[in-house]
Amino acid sequence: PVVLGLDMLVQICRGTYSESDITSMENDILSALDWRVSGHTPMNFARHLLELVPEEELSAGESSSLLEECQRNVNRTATDIHFSCLPPSVVGISCLAISLENCHVLSHSEKQVIWMRLSKSGHFNLSSRGAVESQQRLASHMSPRKLNVASKLASVSQSGAAVSAYGVDCGSSSASPICVTQTARQA
């Protein structure tokens, strides 16, 4: 990889702009953006959600194992355009749900307790159409025996978790060019 420093930018611009011009423009851009330049990733959401689970219910080792599996699931989403029009929170929740269901270290009842705690404290709806669809799509990238994961977790979420109705549908929660194009093609 090539490091793109100020001297390299001056060379690319063939001397049209000086280092001070580039620095000044960068400061103007950052000020206009109010320094909001870092975006949240699906893994940020997964990490924050797991931090909500007390250590008595999920050890550091189990949490680390879940995050590793979650990262593999996030990597799978990078090859599917469906996930690009979903908010990172939905992708993170879906990847974490699949990871939790496929965790071999925890019992079924431990998984349910953890998921109920996450659903209540995170105020998300795992049984919404978009979340279920995302989990099924993610599960389809895995082995055939794992295809019913989304329906299992959706039933856990519906069995008493206090959830709010966050819009997950691409058409209602995002106006990205991909979502607009996808919606137009479906119409």
Side-chain angles (χ1 to χ4, degrees), residues 78-114:
T79 61
D80 189 336
I81 196 164
H82 166 78
F83 295 101
S84 66
C85 67
L86 295 174
S89 58
V90 173
V91 176
I93 290 167
S94 297
C95 290
L96 183 58
I98 297 290
S99 300
L100 185 60
E101 182 60 33
N102 293 330
C103 178
H104 301 293
V105 181
L106 300 169
S107 70
H108 181 69
S109 60
E110 289 172 319
K111 292 175 188 180
Q112 284 184 325
V113 167
I114 290 168

Side-chain angles (χ1 to χ4, degrees), residues 93-150:
I93 290 167
S94 297
C95 290
L96 183 58
I98 297 290
S99 300
L100 185 60
E101 182 60 33
N102 293 330
C103 178
H104 301 293
V105 181
L106 300 169
S107 70
H108 181 69
S109 60
E110 289 172 319
K111 292 175 188 180
Q112 284 184 325
V113 167
I114 290 168
W115 195 252
M116 293 297 283
R117 179 178 294 281
L118 290 175
S119 294
K120 287 179 182 177
S121 58
H123 302 290
F124 55 84
N125 186 354
L126 188 64
S127 62
S128 68
R129 190 181 117 227
V132 170
E133 184 179 302
S134 295
Q135 291 169 54
Q136 288 173 338
R137 195 164 184 123
L138 182 58
S140 72
H141 291 287
M142 304 169 121
S143 67
R145 72 173 188 81
K146 298 179 182 175
L147 290 177
N148 65 347
V149 169

Side-chain angles (χ1 to χ4, degrees), residues 29-40:
I29 291 170
L30 289 171
S31 293
L33 294 173
D34 202 24
W35 287 84
R36 291 179 295 210
V37 291
S38 65
H40 299 286

